[in-house]
Amino acid sequence: MNTALSIGFALALLDGESFAGGADRDLFFESALAQKAKAWWAFQPVKEPQLPRAGGRGGIDSFLNQKIEAAGLECAPPADRLTLLRRATFDLTGLPPTPGEAAAFLEADSPGAFARVVDRLLASPAYGQRWARHWLDVVRYADYHDADAKARTASCEPLEAWRYRDWVVDSLNQDLPFDQFIVHQLAGDLLPNPVGLRRLEAASATQAGLRGAEAASATQAEEAIYPAGLIATAFLVNGAWDRGDADKEKMVSDMVDDQVDTVGKAFLGLTLGCARCHDHKFDPIPQKDYYRLAGVFASTQRALRPFFDIDPKTETRFMWVYQRMFDLHYTANLLESDPGSKPEQAAHQVKKFRDELTYVKTVPYPGEKVPAGPASKGAEPAGAKPAGQAAAPKKTLPADLIANSERVRNAGGGGGPRKRIDPKAPFLNSVYDAGVWFNDSEPDLTFFDAKPGVPRDLPLFKGGNLNAPGDQAPRGFPLVLAKGPAAFRNGSGRLELGERIFTDAAPLSARVIVNRVWGWHFGTHLVGTPSDFGAQGLPPSHPELLDDLSARFIASGWSLKWLHREIMLSATYRQSSHPRAEAMDADPTNQWLWRMNPRRLDIEAYRDSLLQAAGTLDRTMYGPSADIDSGTRRTVYASLSRGRSSADVMKLYDAPQPMQHSPMRHVTINPQQALFVMNSGFVQGLAFALAKAVDTRGTREEVVRALYRKVFARDADQEEVALGVKYLTGTEGATVARYAQALLSTNEMIFWP
């Protein structure tokens, strides 16, 4: 902990004030003491500091070289060209260069050759696949909750989650500005369809106003479904939640906590979840701020949303009715199978729920008549019109007259024609604005009541105890980051939250993502705690460099591809990774980056490299995830569940369990990894495929050289050729496949140079 500033309680105590002073909590943030809290380095505006002149290098290199010289060290020499190509190709695509790419780069010995390589790699579809995997760790992505495929149901699983993964791949390949990338994930369902907006803007530019068919066409395009927006919000529902908790209010509270905690760590580098039960012990986050944000997500309901054009009002009613039907059906079945100690009461409740289920099924869409006939007779809940009356000629049911209509306030616009549902069209787990309350009107049972379009402010629960509500905490932005009134006014507040992360909190959010990208490039971060920029986190090793990059990143339009180029074209990135004894003695952890950090590939890059070397890699993009134990698709498409990884090799090489946000991967070395490359059928099969891919009719020397080119995209040196020939000709039982397996098991195969 940084003892110079304990932002929360310690500051208050220094001035003799109580930070946890109940109603005075907000006054604290309006006082001079608040300015001290806001003085924390991570909350300061970013600016481009004056470049130091150390070492005669510019930009990134100047800041780093200043520290290197102060430590009495020297920078490593540049890496050789093949090493640099392998490094960049692994870094941006998660794959090694092909022999053809290596040969072309070695021949193009010109000053701009490496810059052209970086541009080519950033334009490759493989770039999005590689960097999507980094992001999926941050947002605790999984394809399923349940490891048992037979136990998965649409109401409890993030089905079609792979569409979110594909959206991330596409967004990164298209260089969607990072601020929009995050806003889409928080509130993509609330964003207009850009196609419609572009059409409206174009029409406005060519004429004073829209007329007739043109206006209708533009309006239709504007109101059409925005697939990318819906898909992106799957981030909010793809969390690790206990859906079997008997305490339904606690279950929802835990879901909301997962969302607040993930948003705080992933986007702001703050441990907001630590303020669930009390004011944050170290950071300027009062408990009330936690519940301000929790109210945003308590006003957001998870729902299956149709992945096709549909009238908004119809869609809202569908989402509510679907959830209501599931609750009624599940509860009725549960009471029938286990009526407990009150069988008569249970039987009465089952009949009541079955009747309501029948009624809900018969409720038409807006403008359609209520079906007549015995199927609906007597099915309505109390207060509804009898079926016979409702079916009178030319009578229609009001759009909002559905079961327990007093619980639903439909905010949809409606008015458009309803499209019949295509049974083959997918539904996506997404969200919509609807406050969630708890209905305990039934004895011994609790139901969720979702009210579309009605936000819910939460009380401050004392000690996190749901049975001890305190004052209301209006939905809003954390006070220490707010540049104006903190309250959210529009709907759930998700869109305002996303926007203010990149306006009010732009310096912090920029530092957080710049630090993450830096860490993914170098293996170490400028801030060693990438998801905690508070008082308990580590201070930046190079604060001026972090500020400089963050300021210019914002100025670039939040372009991640700009950031990659800036980092990779630096002399620091292009250094050799070879150690030097005197430098290792002075800086054994390479804190000052006097050389590039060599490191082991993650499992995705390692497995994909093995498949590419063997010539069996399936580069098919997009679509549902697959079992990688038997498949050959890129590892980013591995099917992951929170119960277990679908492939043991993922856990063997430190892939994180998607139970919660993962700020970084922790590399382990264990005996099972060696056994995997020696004995696994997967590696042995690739070795056989690799052996078949080379011409074994030539000399042993030609076979060795051919294998080296395929595996390492380089020629074998004389010593390597001699060792290979010696093995193939002088070892009993030696085969080309076994020699190929040995090459696939080398450090050169698994280490990032």
Side-chain angles (χ1 to χ4, degrees), residues 405-423:
S405 58
E406 72 279 6
R407 303 180 189 175
V408 180
R409 298 293 181 269
N410 195 324
R418 179 180 69 87
K419 295 186 178 181
R420 290 288 178 184
I421 294 177
D422 177 359

Side-chain angles (χ1 to χ4, degrees), residues 89-173:
T89 310
F90 273 126
D91 205 0
L92 289 181
T93 69
L95 294 168
T98 65
E101 290 168 344
F105 180 62
L106 293 177
E107 291 174 3
D109 190 7
S110 63
F114 183 63
R116 289 192 292 274
V117 165
V118 171
D119 286 341
R120 172 177 61 80
L121 296 173
L122 287 172
S124 166
Y127 160 74
Q129 294 172 314
R130 171 60 173 168
W131 282 78
R133 185 58 261 176
H134 288 315
W135 185 251
L136 296 179
D137 282 0
V138 172
V139 296
R140 70 329 184 203
Y141 172 84
D143 293 286
Y144 306 104
H145 294 303
D146 204 311
D148 182 2
K150 296 180 180 178
R152 296 170 187 157
T153 60
S155 59
C156 298
E157 287 285 348
L159 300 181
E160 306 272 339
W162 56 269
R163 294 183 186 276
Y164 170 79
R165 180 247 296 140
D166 286 353
W167 174 81
V168 173
V169 172
D170 270 346
S171 297
L172 294 177
N173 277 332

Side-chain angles (χ1 to χ4, degrees), residues 4-59:
L5 178 66
S6 179
I7 306 178
F9 283 101
L11 270 178
L13 292 173
L14 285 173
D15 279 31
E17 298 184 26
S18 172
F19 183 51
D24 293 331
R25 184 180 285 105
D26 290 348
L27 296 178
F28 170 86
F29 280 93
E30 297 172 2
S31 68
L33 209 54
Q35 304 312 311
K36 295 182 182 179
K38 292 184 178 183
W40 183 243
W41 69 266
F43 304 149
Q44 300 310 299
V46 292
K47 57 185 177 181
E48 298 181 44
Q50 185 176 357
L51 293 179
R53 297 184 179 276
R57 302 194 296 180

Side-chain angles (χ1 to χ4, degrees), residues 389-591:
Q389 292 182 22
K394 298 183 180 180
K395 294 288 186 180
T396 60
L397 191 72
D400 290 327
L401 182 55
I402 58 178
N404 296 310
S405 58
E406 72 279 6
R407 303 180 189 175
V408 180
R409 298 293 181 269
N410 195 324
R418 179 180 69 87
K419 295 186 178 181
R420 290 288 178 184
I421 294 177
D422 177 359
K424 296 181 180 179
F427 286 74
L428 179 75
N429 270 287
S430 182
V431 296
Y432 72 112
D433 272 5
V436 181
W437 279 262
F438 301 92
N439 185 333
D440 56 2
S441 60
E442 294 290 340
D444 306 318
L445 294 172
T446 300
F447 282 102
F448 300 132
D449 271 354
K451 299 182 181 180
V454 181
R456 181 191 179 194
D457 288 332
L458 292 176
L460 188 155
F461 291 105
K462 299 173 183 177
N465 183 354
L466 298 176
N467 295 315
D471 296 336
Q472 290 291 104
R475 302 178 319 287
F477 203 57
L479 291 170
V480 74
L481 300 175
K483 303 301 184 187
F488 295 152
R489 301 297 183 191
N490 299 317
S492 64
R494 285 183 290 124
L495 186 55
E496 292 169 276
L497 172 61
E499 291 170 345
R500 295 186 75 168
I501 286 174
F502 295 98
T503 52
D504 293 20
L508 178 59
S509 55
R511 287 185 177 104
V512 169
I513 187 57
V514 165
N515 185 60
R516 290 196 197 282
V517 172
W518 183 276
W520 289 323
H521 277 300
F522 285 97
T524 57
H525 297 79
L526 296 172
V527 178
T529 49
S531 294
D532 188 358
F533 276 43
Q536 288 291 85
L538 295 173
S541 58
H542 299 76
E544 296 86 1
L545 171 58
L546 180 59
D547 266 20
D548 178 71
L549 272 179
S550 299
R552 293 190 291 128
F553 174 60
I554 294 173
S556 78
W558 300 85
S559 168
L560 288 173
K561 290 191 176 182
W562 173 89
L563 186 57
H564 293 307
R565 291 187 188 94
E566 194 71 11
I567 291 172
M568 296 179 69
L569 296 181
S570 68
T572 302
Y573 182 87
R574 292 181 281 124
Q575 290 181 114
S576 167
S577 62
H578 293 306
R580 302 193 311 275
E582 70 282 2
M584 291 293 292
D585 290 340
D587 182 20
T589 62
N590 195 27
Q591 178 183 9

